[in-house]
Amino acid sequence: MRGRTRVTAVAVVAVSAVAGTTVVSAQAATGRHENGRIRNVIYLLGDGMGRTHVTAARERYYGAAGRLAMERLPVVGQVSTYSVERRSGQPGAPDFEPNLVTDSASAATAWASGVKTYNAALGVDAKGNVVPTVMELAKRAGYRTGNVSTAEITDATPAGQMSHVLARGCQGPTYSASACQDTAVTGSALPTSDVRVTPVADQIARNGTADVILGGGLARFEASDEQALRSQGYTVLGSPSSQTVATRADLDRASSRKVFGLFNKGNLTIEKFKRQNPTATQAREPSLPEMTRKAINLLTSGRANGKGFYLQVEGALIDKRSHANDAAQTLEETKAFDDAVAAAVSFARRDGHTLVVVTADHECAGFNIIEKGTFTNAEAAAPPVNVDSGNTANSSTPSRPSGNVKDASRSTGIVNGAGSADPRNFAPATFRTPDDPAGVQDGAADASLWLTYLSGNHTGADVPLFAYGPGSRRLAGEVDNTDLFDVVTGSLRVRP
């Protein structure tokens, strides 16, 4: 393993201390699948999904004693996610310079290519060298490949498997030096013929890395991209040439081996809007679970070469709604992602030769569950005093002032309730759960789930990891995000 050496097969796996389950035998948990040969890997990524995102979604939809589909998987671990600075060496090198908070691009490169890189880089190491991706290696070895996302398909997570650029903003449709060059890495501007400054959309449309491509981002592609895709045998749903988005109905009808379908000019639409506006154009977009099931169906139909498939699925809107501190949609997008996990696991249980990996690239926004009826420092008249600040040994117990009170201008009520009209309000959002008495509503003070955010940015917290199927025990415990590259390539028996 590249990041750490602590990833070992274990005899016992603690499924989830938070969920209150008992310790189970890893052999019993993975059952007959542990001895099966791995033919397929489904890698599901909840963008920005920290441990609290999982816990809060569970409590919101299933109650305190319930479980999300991902929490029912037999193998549980956690992933360290740090990146590095530009021109840094890899861990252990004399010039190693870590950055403790990653972005989605460097995280995608870590699991897709097995190297640490700087924030914004895709498919290149911290010194700008091109590195192969799992999806490229799988394709080269004869596997079928798929890439599904609720983001623009040129965005960091999906692009990390299908492109190599110095800067994640180099998405397309056209090249610009400001978006694509990074002379702090290369020393001087690269020629526009260099893949590292070629827009992601151009690369995706021409390199054939993924057989099935489903997501958003139609505006990143042009008529020449559609022509390039069709010349390689793709069925193109909708049309980049006319900027006609694909629909759920188009996807339902698709049956070819290679399918390219983008359902929005930008990111896909949040589930709440589609549910509340069933006649809107956006309601014709497929959900993440629907795209996941269809991708699996397309990748498994007509297989004649004995090879399996590698599929990456991203729930991107967890991160985007966390950046916006939108707790309601953070929860709903986490639920939609979990439904995609359930679809993947349902296939894996029937198949018996599929490894399912569920994790995140980073935590977003410091999502927190706080005690009902309490308030945060952001609402306080003044932050709690650190009375221990003069103690250099830091061995005493700091006391907290008992007179701390809310600031009336910063805490005007529950943000999804009484205080929703006040843009200065920092109060929590509250949500009913299945455990609450009948009549309790979201946005009420008596709702049991109280949620806050620390910021609108990423954090450096480790993220959860869940796994199922043959080889899943290798993911128990603490791993680094670069270790995921080794596990997946080892499972598929492909190497750079």
Side-chain angles (χ1 to χ4, degrees), residues 124-187:
V124 298
D125 66 18
K127 297 182 179 181
N129 301 305
V130 171
V131 286
T133 74
V134 175
M135 197 166 288
E136 290 171 338
L137 296 171
K139 179 71 173 178
R140 186 185 309 160
Y143 288 88
R144 304 267 285 132
T145 51
N147 206 335
V148 173
S149 178
T150 52
E152 295 179 84
I153 207 68
T154 54
D155 204 358
T157 298
Q161 292 282 5
M162 302 186 292
S163 65
H164 306 271
V165 289
L166 297 172
R168 60 182 289 182
C170 187
Q171 294 187 52
T174 57
Y175 164 86
S176 74
S178 61
C180 299
Q181 298 283 355
D182 191 336
T183 56
V185 176
T186 58

Side-chain angles (χ1 to χ4, degrees), residues 77-145:
Q78 58 187 18
V79 183
S80 58
T81 63
Y82 70 90
S83 60
V84 295
E85 301 292 349
R86 284 169 172 77
R87 304 296 304 169
S88 170
Q90 295 300 303
D95 57 348
F96 173 57
E97 188 178 358
N99 181 337
L100 299 184
V101 181
T102 189
D103 79 338
S104 295
S106 54
T109 302
W111 76 71
S113 296
V115 298
K116 294 291 186 181
T117 194
Y118 57 91
N119 291 351
L122 286 169
V124 298
D125 66 18
K127 297 182 179 181
N129 301 305
V130 171
V131 286
T133 74
V134 175
M135 197 166 288
E136 290 171 338
L137 296 171
K139 179 71 173 178
R140 186 185 309 160
Y143 288 88
R144 304 267 285 132
T145 51

Side-chain angles (χ1 to χ4, degrees), residues 56 95 106 185 231-232 287 363 373 385 451 453 472:
D95 57 348
S106 54
V185 176
S231 70
Q232 297 170 76
S287 67
E363 196 277 342
V385 176
L451 299 172
Y453 292 91
S472 58

Side-chain angles (χ1 to χ4, degrees), residues 302-323:
R303 287 190 298 186
N305 61 358
K307 290 283 190 177
F309 68 83
Y310 174 61
L311 171 63
Q312 179 175 287
V313 177
E314 181 198 22
L317 302 182
I318 301 169
D319 177 70
K320 298 185 188 305
R321 300 324 301 164
S322 293
H323 278 296

